[in-house]
Amino acid sequence: MAAIIFCNCYSSLAASKWVNPRIPTKGTSLLRTQKSSSWLNRQLLPKCTSQKHVQCHLQDGQKGRSFSLKECAVSIVLAAGLITGMPSLDWSPNAYAASPALPDLSVLISGPPIKDPGVLLRNALPINNKAVREVQKPLEDITESLKIAGVKALDSVERNVRQASRALKQGKTLIISGLAETKKDHGVELLDKLEVGMDELQQIVEDRDRDAVAPKQKELLQYVGDVEEDMVDGFPYEVPEEYRSLPLLKGRAAVDMKVKVKDNPNLDECVFHIVLDGYNAPVTAGNFVDLVQRHFYDGMEIQRADGFVVQTGDPEGPAQGFIDPSTEKTRTIPLEIMVNGEKAPFYGATLEEFENDSASSQVFWLLKESELTPSNANILDGRYAVFGYVTENQDFLADLKVGDVIESIQVVSGLDKLVNPSYKIAG
């Protein structure tokens, strides 16, 4: 199963590490370098807020069948667009293990990798409320409990549910106190629904209805995520002045990307649901949403699909990025990296020296489970901006081929979070 990262490309690329913004202490990679000791303990965190069901149309007599992928599919990370393509890596994973690209860079693996995009997106929210996290964690742990065969899994699920219910009862006052004043009524309403849903999940376990556990878990985690979003009061930091006039996504948004698939006997077209994380990459996510609203990607082909990345965004003609018609120049954005423990992203700085402010329109999805990019030792940390996740139909990204066409990308929520939208300017 392939976890995909959708990243910004920059020029002069070589094989190395990129930093995931706001990484959890468990999972993904811990990076340590002699060049910059401040770039430690980096990982990605964001939250999936959409329960939207999407369609893939299959060429097997079931065209138009609607379904959603099961919870816990391998996560897909969404990162930023580059004006020059991703490099070809002409070295083997074995060579990398014996002779790393950066002699002073060591990768420390800490615990099992977090692959679920919902977990990552929840943890990436700019909040600090221990009480709600103590409700969230046991509900997420149900995923691991369900890996046990048969109804024996329900014994572990029951422990998870009891732990979450106890944490909610004991911590409800602290959770409510963490809600933003303007969102408090909505948050309290969600907590009431969460309590009712927790009792319903307990009954499901007592009835030994294993198949009903995962859907109810997903519903409850949606409530938890929405409560956590109600704890965010405005945008948590100021974007540096030199980038403040660019399109900025100050919060979360979601898009649906519809792809027409060619020469695939099993797949005709598919819709990928993507949650964009403006809290951790407002410039990168804002640039992408602005281009989506300009229909920049509509009708564009997939330009690279090699088992390592799926990439697009290079327009026809000599330009390698988006030419803003109001200036007749390529619009570029800075590399934007959120480091765990920091309150705002770093701009224009990476673990290596290369042109890191050249991103424009090219984007790629990284197939994270390739030999070069395992979830807990990603070779691109510190080099690309990560601005969201594919949360529906991510497994089908690995089936895309060069020449498949992006029929459309549409913003389905969060457009009101976009400030300085250049697409509204005439021309």
Side-chain angles (χ1 to χ4, degrees):
M1 298 173 68
I4 320 298
I5 299 184
F6 183 91
C7 291
N8 269 350
C9 290
Y10 301 85
S11 59
S12 304
L13 300 179
S16 180
K17 300 279 169 193
W18 58 263
V19 175
N20 291 324
R22 284 190 182 272
I23 330 178
T25 54
K26 288 183 66 178
T28 335
S29 55
L30 270 166
L31 302 183
R32 183 169 295 170
T33 174
Q34 296 174 2
K35 291 182 179 178
S36 173
S37 60
S38 66
W39 295 83
L40 300 178
N41 301 333
R42 320 171 181 204
Q43 296 186 4
L44 270 177
L45 297 177
K47 177 220 161 235
C48 169
T49 60
S50 173
Q51 300 294 327
K52 182 172 172 51
H53 292 277
V54 296
Q55 288 189 342
C56 282
H57 299 293
L58 308 179
Q59 296 178 338
D60 60 357
Q62 300 183 42
K63 190 175 181 71
R65 179 170 59 93
S66 178
F67 65 95
S68 63
L69 293 181
K70 65 179 182 180
E71 189 78 2
C72 309
V74 179
S75 72
I76 307 294
V77 186
L78 177 62
L82 326 177
I83 68 166
T84 64
M86 271 289 296
S88 297
L89 301 183
D90 52 357
W91 44 271
S92 70
N94 292 333
Y96 175 76
S99 179
L102 287 179
D104 60 354
L105 183 66
S106 62
V107 179
L108 305 179
I109 298 174
S110 174
I114 296 177
K115 300 178 179 181
D116 187 291
V119 177
L120 295 170
L121 284 162
R122 278 186 290 275
N123 290 339
L125 284 167
I127 63 172
N128 184 24
N129 189 289
K130 184 178 179 181
V132 76
R133 298 298 193 195
E134 289 180 348
V135 177
Q136 172 188 325
K137 184 60 168 63
L139 287 176
E140 292 171 346
D141 287 346
I142 289 174
T143 298
E144 288 298 314
S145 296
L146 288 175
K147 292 180 180 179
I148 301 172
V151 294
K152 290 183 178 179
L154 296 176
D155 295 334
S156 294
V157 172
E158 185 171 19
R159 288 192 291 271
N160 299 141
V161 176
R162 287 179 177 174
Q163 183 181 350
S165 296
R166 184 167 58 250
L168 180 57
K169 286 181 174 64
Q170 294 175 351
K172 188 173 182 180
T173 300
L174 290 174
I175 294 173
I176 292 173
S177 69
L179 294 169
E181 284 299 322
T182 57
K183 305 176 184 177
K184 185 159 288 187
D185 290 343
H186 182 250
V188 170
E189 180 183 344
L190 290 170
L191 287 171
D192 291 341
K193 292 180 179 180
L194 180 60
E195 282 187 304
V196 172
M198 212 88 78
D199 291 339
E200 292 171 348
L201 181 54
Q202 180 63 41
Q203 188 61 52
I204 287 171
V205 173
E206 291 176 3
D207 293 341
R208 313 303 281 177
D209 186 358
R210 179 190 166 107
D211 292 340
V213 171
K216 179 58 70 171
Q217 176 206 24
K218 184 175 182 179
E219 176 188 323
L220 298 185
L221 283 172
Q222 181 69 47
Y223 291 145
V224 171
D226 289 347
V227 167
E228 291 173 346
E229 290 215 46
D230 283 347
M231 292 179 172
V232 182
D233 189 8
F235 196 70
Y237 55 87
E238 285 289 339
V239 172
E241 186 175 357
E242 60 263 44
Y243 311 125
R244 215 167 285 170
S245 62
L246 291 170
L248 305 175
L249 184 66
K250 291 192 169 183
R252 295 269 169 86
V255 301
D256 281 348
M257 181 177 73
K258 184 178 181 181
V259 180
K260 178 69 174 178
V261 180
K262 298 179 180 179
D263 302 323
N264 189 325
N266 301 313
L267 192 65
D268 180 30
E269 62 181 23
C270 195
V271 178
F272 300 94
H273 189 70
I274 303 169
V275 177
L276 306 171
D277 183 20
Y279 288 124
N280 289 286
V283 177
T284 310
N287 178 70
F288 182 75
V289 172
D290 193 67
L291 292 178
V292 166
Q293 287 298 103
R294 288 176 174 271
H295 304 284
F296 177 84
Y297 298 100
D298 293 2
M300 189 173 287
E301 293 186 350
I302 298 298
Q303 296 157 356
R304 177 176 177 180
D306 54 10
F308 176 49
V309 297
V310 173
Q311 183 173 325
T312 192
D314 184 4
E316 293 184 2
Q320 292 181 307
F322 166 64
I323 304 296
D324 190 333
S326 65
T327 65
E328 298 184 349
K329 295 180 180 180
T330 301
R331 183 170 77 195
T332 60
I333 59 173
L335 175 61
E336 187 175 40
I337 295 175
M338 179 69 87
V339 178
N340 190 33
E342 300 291 338
K343 294 183 178 180
F346 287 86
Y347 290 89
T350 73
L351 294 179
E352 290 189 72
E353 295 179 0
F354 65 100
E355 189 179 352
N356 51 29
D357 289 346
S358 61
S360 181
S361 62
Q362 293 192 42
V363 294
F364 70 88
W365 295 263
L366 177 62
L367 304 181
K368 257 189 1 173
E369 296 307 305
S370 73
E371 290 179 323
L372 298 179
T373 55
S375 294
N376 55 352
N378 199 298
I379 70 163
L380 297 179
D381 276 347
R383 303 193 59 183
Y384 302 99
V386 178
F387 63 91
Y389 296 79
V390 178
T391 61
E392 297 285 350
N393 287 333
Q394 55 263 49
D395 285 359
F396 290 105
L397 281 166
D399 294 329
L400 298 185
K401 301 290 188 295
V402 172
D404 290 345
V405 177
I406 298 174
E407 293 187 337
S408 65
I409 305 181
Q410 294 182 330
V411 178
V412 294
S413 66
L415 187 58
D416 59 313
K417 307 293 176 53
L418 181 69
V419 300
N420 308 325
S422 76
Y423 73 89
K424 291 185 176 182
I425 300 174

